[in-house]
């Protein structure tokens, strides 16, 4: 599913983010930037040791922030490593921190002059964030970003790993667009 908002294409696809050739791909990292399972493991596995070397010299990243490295053997030029919140009950700042992880990644892409970026579904794997709630926050943050920075990024893509996640994000995007059109 592709839509255009404020000069930016927002695209949802089902797939493996390590195969993307956008300027940057985003990694759902941990705060030590130590690698791990899930999408983090897949990115380091496919990208080679260079990415981990750069992560080691950066040292870490607080929850809700983002850092950037080159992308080693991957097709993308950069990996933006962001740290989403570990979900407890939704009353420990999780929504704000998740929003901040997306926003920090987008701001870093702008600072670097990048034109395209791919996101995984941050925090909804090992970190346990309910996918439906997370998808609303992710997409809302991205829609707000395009409004504040019209046309600055050409493409913002979500690469969803399962059909279920793809369907969740598609439904959420449709809902958000409907609400936006009503209040416009
Ligand atoms: P977190 O620790 O932030 O929850 P995970 O990596 O455990 O991060 O999960 C985040 C999401 O990334 C999950 O939906 C998972 O299915 C998905 N995922 C895992 N591998 C890949 C991949 N290669 N490409 C895209 N998404 C992936």
């Amino acid at each position: 599913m592709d839509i255009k908002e404020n000069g930016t294409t927002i695209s949802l696809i089902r797939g493996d983010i390590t195969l993307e050739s956008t300027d940057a791909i985003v990694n759902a990292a941990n705060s030590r930037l130590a690698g791990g399972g899930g999408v983090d493991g897949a990115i380091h596995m496919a990208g080679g040791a260079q990415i981990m070397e750069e992560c080691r010299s950066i040292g870490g990243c607080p929850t809700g922030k983002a850092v950037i490295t080159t992308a080693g053997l991957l097709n993308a030029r950069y990996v933006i490593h962001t740290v989403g919140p570990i979900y407890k009950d939704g009353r420990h700042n999780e929504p704000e921190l998740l929003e901040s992880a997306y926003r920090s990644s987008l701001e870093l892409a702008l600072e670097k002059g990048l034109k395209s970026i791919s996101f995984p579904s941050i925090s909804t794997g090992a970190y346990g964030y309910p996918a439906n709630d997370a998808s609303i926050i992710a997409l809302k943050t991205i829609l707000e970003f395009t409004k504040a920075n019209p046309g600055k990024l050409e493409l913002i893509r979500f690469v969803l790993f399962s059909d279920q996640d793809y369907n969740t994000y598609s439904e959420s995007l449709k809902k958000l667009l409907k609400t936006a059109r009503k209040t416009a």
Side-chain angles (χ1 to χ4, degrees):
M1 164 177 188
D2 270 17
I3 60 143
K4 196 149 188 173
E5 279 288 297
N6 306 302
T8 300
T9 299
I10 297 173
S11 156
L12 307 182
I13 64 166
R14 192 193 161 310
D16 175 351
I17 201 166
T18 65
L19 303 176
E20 284 301 308
S21 47
T22 43
D23 290 340
I25 62 169
V26 176
N27 181 17
N30 53 58
S31 56
R32 290 174 298 121
L33 301 179
V39 71
D40 197 355
I43 287 173
H44 284 291
M45 181 88 82
Q50 168 77 27
I51 302 174
M52 185 48 79
E53 266 170 44
E54 289 179 47
C55 283
R56 270 200 209 101
S57 70
I58 295 168
C61 176
T63 305
K65 303 284 187 216
V67 298
I68 192 163
T69 67
T70 56
L73 305 171
L74 300 173
N75 293 327
R77 289 163 57 203
Y78 295 97
V79 178
I80 293 175
H81 306 260
T82 192
V83 184
I86 299 172
Y87 190 86
K88 296 191 184 82
D89 55 9
R91 283 177 288 179
H92 287 79
N93 252 8
E94 296 96 328
E96 291 80 7
L97 289 167
L98 187 61
E99 177 184 338
S100 173
Y102 280 100
R103 204 161 6 85
S104 303
S105 303
L106 292 163
E107 279 163 8
L108 202 44
L110 272 201
E111 268 171 50
K112 279 274 174 187
L114 308 185
K115 292 291 175 203
S116 55
I117 183 168
S118 298
F119 284 96
S121 177
I122 297 165
S123 281
T124 65
Y127 281 5
Y129 213 117
N132 188 47
D133 295 351
S135 69
I136 296 280
I137 292 168
L139 291 162
K140 216 171 169 182
T141 307
I142 271 142
L143 290 170
E144 281 167 12
F145 179 86
T146 65
K147 213 170 176 183
N149 302 279
K152 287 271 173 65
L153 291 177
E154 286 163 11
L155 171 66
I156 303 175
R157 171 171 286 158
F158 279 90
V159 183
L160 289 327
F161 208 47
S162 66
D163 285 336
Q164 197 180 338
D165 280 347
Y166 178 81
N167 292 337
T168 301
Y169 274 71
S170 301
E171 288 310 311
S172 294
L173 183 55
K174 283 180 208 153
K175 253 187 240 161
L176 285 170
L177 290 173
K178 223 188 237 170
T179 319
R181 305 276 182 263
K182 260 190 215 148
T183 54

